[in-house]
Amino acid sequence: MVCGLLDVTQLLLLVCSVTALLLIDQRRDAEDDRGLNKAILEMLHINKVSASHQAKPHPYMRRIYQHLDSLEARDFGGSDGTLVQSFRSVDGPRHAPQGWIWFNISTLNPSMLGAELVLFRKTLHLPLSVTVSLHSVVASQESLRESPALEERQLTLDQRPLSGYDVFDVTTVLVAKPPELLGFQLRYTDERGSLVLHEALTQSLYCLERGSLSEPLLVFYQAHPVQF
């Protein structure tokens, strides 16, 4: 009888030990699963945030799309379906000078005929006027090819356009057939004709932050640009 009781006791202890080990393994598996699920959820969250940001159209482009939707039905048979292309600003090449706003237009449709640079202007409470000239540069390999001034206009610093954007017609850059990177720079002279620090003033005047909804935009059209 004593031997029988010892055998039963040992069997129970063995069963309890195995059960405890199984519970520990299950707990570890559950913790691993929770860790893996958390990592997956974090990745999905990042992807979701990234995708939703990319899906948000630039406010200026929303106006363009609304304008296109409002047009009466017309024959676009002569087009390949691409009426407008827009590009947001990117990092410039390593050998580029400071103070330029860069765009990668390697995917530009060759049928585009018009182009405009769109910059969201901040309000500066300075009753001053400056004359701004817009220049462009094409980057190819290790060289930069700068253009003459594309446009020149006078800005009153404490008065913004009704749309909030300064829009520059840069259609002439298409003549140079830029292969990939295209840069723009604003240069200023004050009322006395003195040169103003263009990079500092551009950063003060315009929203240049990449990733923001109002970052610089380069828009190409299959017809002449439509300004708002």
Side-chain angles (χ1 to χ4, degrees):
M1 290 292 292
V2 175
C3 290
L5 288 173
L6 287 175
D7 290 340
V8 172
T9 302
Q10 289 174 348
L11 181 61
L12 289 174
L13 288 173
L14 180 61
V15 170
C16 290
S17 298
V18 171
T19 303
L21 289 173
L22 288 173
L23 289 174
I24 291 172
D25 287 340
Q26 288 176 354
R27 192 179 300 114
R28 286 174 179 169
D29 290 341
E31 289 173 355
D32 290 342
D33 288 342
R34 281 196 295 271
L36 181 61
N37 290 339
K38 182 181 178 183
I40 291 174
L41 287 174
E42 287 175 351
M43 286 189 289
L44 288 174
H45 177 66
I46 291 171
N47 289 339
K48 183 178 180 182
V49 170
S50 176
S52 64
H53 169 71
Q54 294 297 328
K56 289 181 181 178
H58 191 286
Y60 189 81
M61 291 309 297
R62 280 204 300 267
R63 303 183 188 193
I64 299 293
Y65 298 146
Q66 289 169 359
H67 175 73
L68 291 175
D69 289 341
S70 68
L71 292 177
E72 296 180 1
R74 59 171 63 181
D75 180 18
F76 289 117
S79 75
D80 60 0
T82 304
L83 301 177
V84 178
Q85 270 188 290
S86 63
F87 298 88
R88 299 197 185 206
S89 55
V90 298
D91 286 326
R94 286 179 299 176
H95 59 289
Q98 297 294 317
W100 291 81
I101 306 168
W102 291 96
F103 300 89
N104 185 329
I105 59 170
S106 56
T107 59
L108 179 64
N109 190 310
S111 66
M112 297 292 108
L113 300 176
E116 61 187 17
L117 175 66
V118 180
L119 299 175
F120 183 78
R121 177 119 71 87
K122 304 173 186 177
T123 300
L124 298 185
H125 301 289
L126 299 171
L128 298 174
S129 295
V130 296
T131 299
V132 57
S133 60
L134 178 68
H135 296 255
S136 72
V137 64
V138 174
S140 56
Q141 296 179 351
E142 295 298 318
S143 64
L144 299 172
R145 188 169 73 254
E146 186 176 334
S147 75
L150 301 175
E151 184 178 343
E152 187 173 282
R153 70 172 67 167
Q154 191 175 60
L155 300 179
T156 303
L157 302 188
D158 62 345
Q159 297 177 12
R160 281 201 310 165
L162 292 177
S163 67
Y165 297 94
D166 281 334
V167 181
F168 300 89
D169 188 341
V170 295
T171 300
T172 53
V173 300
L174 292 171
V175 177
K177 300 187 185 306
E180 184 172 330
L181 285 176
L182 183 62
F184 295 93
Q185 186 183 64
L186 297 168
R187 300 174 187 172
Y188 311 87
T189 51
D190 62 17
E191 294 171 327
R192 296 172 297 178
S194 301
L195 183 67
V196 181
L197 291 175
H198 48 261
E199 183 181 357
L201 188 51
T202 297
Q203 290 176 348
S204 300
L205 265 180
Y206 296 106
C207 176
L208 303 179
E209 182 183 355
R210 291 199 305 278
S212 68
L213 278 180
S214 295
E215 67 183 302
L217 195 69
L218 186 59
V219 188
F220 292 88
Y221 300 84
Q222 200 174 73
H224 293 293
V226 180
Q227 295 187 3
F228 294 90

